[in-house]
Amino acid sequence: MLPPRPLAAHKGRGAVSNIQGRHEVKAREGFDDGWEAGVESGAASPFKTQVTDEFAKSILSRNASPDIPFTVSLNPYRGCEHGCIYCFARPTHSYLGLSQGLDFETRLFAKVNAAELLRRELARPGYTPEHIAIGVNTDAYQPCEREYRLTRQVLEVLSECQHPVGMITKSSLIERDIDLLAPMAAKGQACAAITITTLDSEISRTLEPRAAAPARRLRTIRTLTEAGIPVSVSVAPIIPFVTEPEIERILDAARDAGAVSAHYVVLRLPFEVNPLFQEWLEAHFPERAGRVMNRVREMRGGKDYDSDFSKRMHGEGVWADLIRQRFTKTVERLGLGKLGSRFERLDATQFRRPLVVPAAAGKAGGKKAGQLDLF
């Protein structure tokens, strides 16, 4: 048997491999059988994007995490074509029997009944309005949104009901929905956060290959700000020796573009994100892979990751404290406001229940959702 093939990046994709999930019963191991000898690295990737319609049973997710500034979120898509190698949502693909690697960014699922489910949820007699965060797990404005328009449909429901919403994205496609977001923002019902991990387009091209370029994201901050929508910059994740040297420059550029607040998260490596990220390091930054992981472990108490609520976002120890000081002092110098306060300012007092509520899907609805009729 020939030895395993060396790790190589796939053009336009973040993950290097289709790593096996922790829930799989059978183990698989790749090896070079010789059939791909002579194939150049960087050749056209065989991994094409596939989007499958999904009729979800529920649409709002709730959490009780004390380190997250929202309790309700909505994600119109499973998987994300942006391909960010550090994405903490990657392990969720294992529940679909798929890989958290290349499958996560190529085999996507669109919750085509998202707006219908949301409308029914908001119409429930016992529903209490509180701000909904959209695009937290997977980007609500990833490329397939241009065709599916699920995020647009969800925003139309929230706008109709005057329901507060917070958007977070790496995509300039959010500008399409300014006609909905700007009037909501004028009533204190909408805000946005744009994630900028790095200003280096070369790093961004491998770190988050199908997201908007850093310069384009800065322009999006300016466009949203000029429309009257308050924008926060999310400097996340901060990766030692890769994006960490840029903290101050990112905040300066975001403030100049119009951002009014800022927050950050240090690199998190839960579950399968850890081996995927280390494969990415070896493929793109082999000369500093050891230094990066050593620093990550210094901020995680000697481990690759610590999921404790008090530590998982910002880490611990000397290096984590230095990052905190650098970030906090820069935010104060630039007048970027109180960290994490963007959701607290949203107004839920004007909420009104939807006037039109679709009937719950029954037997016929099940067939519409793709259920086969055996008779």
Side-chain angles (χ1 to χ4, degrees):
M1 180 185 296
L2 297 174
R5 300 182 65 197
L7 294 174
H10 299 273
K11 186 177 181 180
R13 299 299 179 186
V16 173
S17 71
N18 236 346
I19 193 170
Q20 187 171 341
R22 65 191 184 283
H23 301 301
E24 296 293 328
V25 176
K26 297 181 179 179
R28 299 185 296 273
E29 183 175 342
F31 67 96
D32 187 356
D33 59 7
W35 281 98
E36 297 185 33
V39 176
E40 295 183 5
S41 176
S45 172
F47 297 97
K48 305 296 184 182
T49 302
Q50 305 173 41
V51 184
T52 302
D53 291 358
E54 174 186 355
F55 286 83
K57 295 181 179 179
S58 62
I59 198 60
L60 295 182
S61 301
R62 290 176 169 82
N63 75 85
S65 304
D67 55 350
I68 296 178
F70 57 85
T71 57
V72 185
S73 60
L74 187 155
N75 296 282
Y77 302 98
R78 295 179 191 259
C80 187
E81 194 176 359
H82 283 168
C84 306
I85 191 59
Y86 51 76
C87 182
F88 64 85
R90 281 183 178 272
T92 61
H93 242 44
S94 65
Y95 298 111
L96 303 175
L98 298 171
S99 171
Q100 302 82 355
L102 290 161
D103 280 350
F104 178 79
E105 52 195 275
T106 60
R107 299 182 66 178
L108 315 177
F109 296 83
K111 302 174 186 178
V112 293
N113 60 339
E116 176 185 327
L117 288 175
L118 177 61
R119 191 176 286 277
R120 290 210 299 266
E121 180 72 20
L122 300 187
R124 286 176 49 243
Y127 180 78
T128 301
E130 55 183 314
H131 55 260
I132 295 175
I134 296 181
V136 178
N137 270 12
T138 57
D139 204 307
Y141 287 106
Q142 59 181 289
C144 61
E145 167 63 14
R146 296 184 184 278
E147 174 187 352
Y148 277 84
R149 299 174 69 84
L150 300 181
T151 302
R152 172 80 184 186
Q153 294 169 23
V154 165
L155 281 177
E156 288 171 344
V157 175
L158 295 175
S159 175
E160 173 192 328
C161 297
Q162 298 196 46
H163 193 294
V165 62
M167 313 296 295
I168 183 165
T169 183
K170 298 182 181 77
S171 174
S172 60
L173 184 57
I174 190 175
E175 296 172 5
R176 179 201 64 188
D177 294 335
I178 284 178
D179 63 316
L180 294 172
L181 292 169
M184 294 178 73
K187 293 180 284 188
Q189 296 167 358
C191 64
I194 302 298
T195 301
I196 300 181
T197 312
T198 175
L199 296 177
D200 188 321
S201 58
E202 291 299 320
I203 293 177
S204 180
R205 196 170 293 125
T206 61
L207 188 66
E208 38 202 21
R210 298 202 177 194
R216 186 67 182 89
R217 294 184 221 179
L218 288 171
R219 194 173 358 140
T220 296
I221 292 177
R222 181 169 300 282
T223 301
L224 295 177
T225 299
E226 290 175 348
I229 302 166
V231 182
S232 170
V233 60
S234 172
V235 186
I238 293 176
I239 305 173
F241 303 121
V242 179
T243 66
E244 163 264 324
E246 301 181 70
I247 293 174
E248 292 82 2
R249 295 200 299 275
I250 293 172
L251 290 172
D252 275 322
R255 192 279 310 269
D256 291 344
V260 294
S261 62
H263 62 283
Y264 78 97
V265 178
V266 297
L267 179 66
R268 296 172 54 196
L269 298 176
F271 303 116
E272 291 86 357
V273 179
N274 186 7
L276 283 167
F277 179 77
Q278 293 199 50
E279 287 180 353
W280 177 86
L281 271 179
E282 291 294 342
H284 296 285
F285 295 99
E287 77 288 348
R288 69 180 88 168
R291 294 177 64 210
V292 172
M293 289 308 302
N294 286 339
R295 185 68 75 242
V296 167
R297 293 174 186 124
E298 285 185 46
M299 294 192 292
R300 299 297 184 186
K303 299 179 290 185
D304 287 354
Y305 182 57
D306 185 348
S307 61
D308 187 277
F309 284 141
S310 65
K311 303 171 185 175
R312 63 175 183 166
M313 296 299 187
H314 299 143
E316 62 177 330
V318 174
W319 285 101
D321 192 53
L322 285 173
I323 289 175
R324 180 189 61 78
Q325 290 186 49
R326 287 172 59 191
F327 195 91
T328 302
K329 289 182 182 299
T330 306
V331 163
E332 291 174 351
R333 173 174 61 82
L334 298 174
L336 283 174
K338 180 183 176 183
L339 301 181
S341 63
R342 61 198 187 282
F343 290 109
E344 298 169 7
R345 295 189 290 264
L346 296 178
D347 180 13
T349 63
Q350 303 175 61
F351 170 72
R352 58 191 184 194
R353 301 190 188 282
L355 298 176
V356 179
V357 182
K363 188 174 181 180
K367 292 179 181 179
K368 181 180 179 182
Q371 180 177 337
L372 297 178
D373 188 344
L374 300 179
F375 305 97

